[in-house]
């Protein structure tokens, strides 16, 4: 369950989705009537860029108690990325065609939010990945909810990669690419490449070669 009462909420909406604008206004009024401070942002990607720049300046805005995302799985991933360094509980309301992550149907948003405000909702932790690599002599780092992909460039042939689990060698791959995904990511690129679907709560990593 959530750690405490919900005093503030940020609604991130993908206004390109049909019905998103009207639903965002309805959500804002519904939450405000119940004493929740609400901020609505109409563009998930623009918000993520803005927040990343603010964090780089050391001026990160205060975190809300709850993040409500209106859209599909792409909007959820954008919201997760925006708060990658300090995760916030997310309620995803599905306005897209695929809703593996945004699992609350649009017609059920009142019941879902009422459960959250009543302290009855259960938080489902999701595994994330962290990757480090070097590019042009610079060490880089990134976090991901879905997956990381090692892939060949358009000018080269198949890549060769070795998979290790700590100090233990597992196998070698010769393929167009290799996808390392979380259970959440098992329904994304890995699935398209022939990988299995994992139950989201599993503590497991999925490694899927692309066109081996």
């Amino acid at each position: 369950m959530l750690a405490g009462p919900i005093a503030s909420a940020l609604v991130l909406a993908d206004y390109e989705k049909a019905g998103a604008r009207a639903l965002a206004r309805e959500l804002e009024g519904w939450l405000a009537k119940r004493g929740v401070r609400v901020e609505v942002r109409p563009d998930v990607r623009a918000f993520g860029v803005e927040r990343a720049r603010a964090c780089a300046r050391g001026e990160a805005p205060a975190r809300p108690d709850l993040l409500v995302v209106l859209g599909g799985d792409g909007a959820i991933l954008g919201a997760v990325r925006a708060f990658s360094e300090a995760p916030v509980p997310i309620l995803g309301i599905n306005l897209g065609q695929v809703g593996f992550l945004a699992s609350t149907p649009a017609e059920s948003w009142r019941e879902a939010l009422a459960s959250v405000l009543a302290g009855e909702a259960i938080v489902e932790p999701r595994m994330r990945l962290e990757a480090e690599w070097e590019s042009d002599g610079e060490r880089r780092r990134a976090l991901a909810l879905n997956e990381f992909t090692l892939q060949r460039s358009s000018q080269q042939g198949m890549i060769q990669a070795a998979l290790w689990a700590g100090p233990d060698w597992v196998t070698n791959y010769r393929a167009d690419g290799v996808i390392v995904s979380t259970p959440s990511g098992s329904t994304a690129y890995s699935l398209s490449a022939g990988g299995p679907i994992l139950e989201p709560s599993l503590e497991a990593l999925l490694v899927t070669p692309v066109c081996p």
Side-chain angles (χ1 to χ4, degrees), residues 190-212:
S190 175
L191 181 62
S192 300
I197 295 177
L198 301 183
E199 207 283 325
S201 63
L202 278 178
E203 294 185 1
L205 294 178
L206 179 59
V207 182
T208 308
V210 180
C211 299

Side-chain angles (χ1 to χ4, degrees), residues 127-199:
M127 179 187 294
R128 296 189 299 168
L129 296 173
E130 180 178 4
E132 292 187 1
W133 70 97
E134 287 189 7
S135 178
D136 299 325
E138 182 179 351
R139 194 161 190 83
R140 300 175 184 269
R141 170 182 171 272
L143 295 169
L145 175 66
N146 261 13
E147 77 271 316
F148 285 106
T149 303
L150 176 66
Q151 62 186 27
R152 69 181 182 88
S153 70
S154 57
Q155 283 80 36
Q156 73 177 108
M158 302 174 84
I159 65 170
Q160 297 187 58
L163 175 65
W164 293 74
D168 301 319
W169 173 83
V170 178
T171 190
N172 292 327
Y173 293 104
R174 189 170 185 271
D176 283 353
V178 178
I179 305 165
V180 180
S181 70
T182 63
S184 298
S186 68
T187 56
Y189 188 17
S190 175
L191 181 62
S192 300
I197 295 177
L198 301 183
E199 207 283 325

Side-chain angles (χ1 to χ4, degrees), residues 10-17 40-52 67-83:
L10 171 62
V11 178
L12 291 180
D14 180 357
Y15 273 17
E16 294 183 0
K17 297 288 186 184
V40 177
R41 301 297 294 267
D43 188 322
V44 178
R45 180 173 297 181
F47 172 81
V49 171
E50 178 184 319
R51 183 174 175 84
L67 195 56
V68 181
V69 181
L70 311 183
D73 285 357
I76 292 280
L77 291 172
V80 170
R81 191 178 303 115
F83 288 90

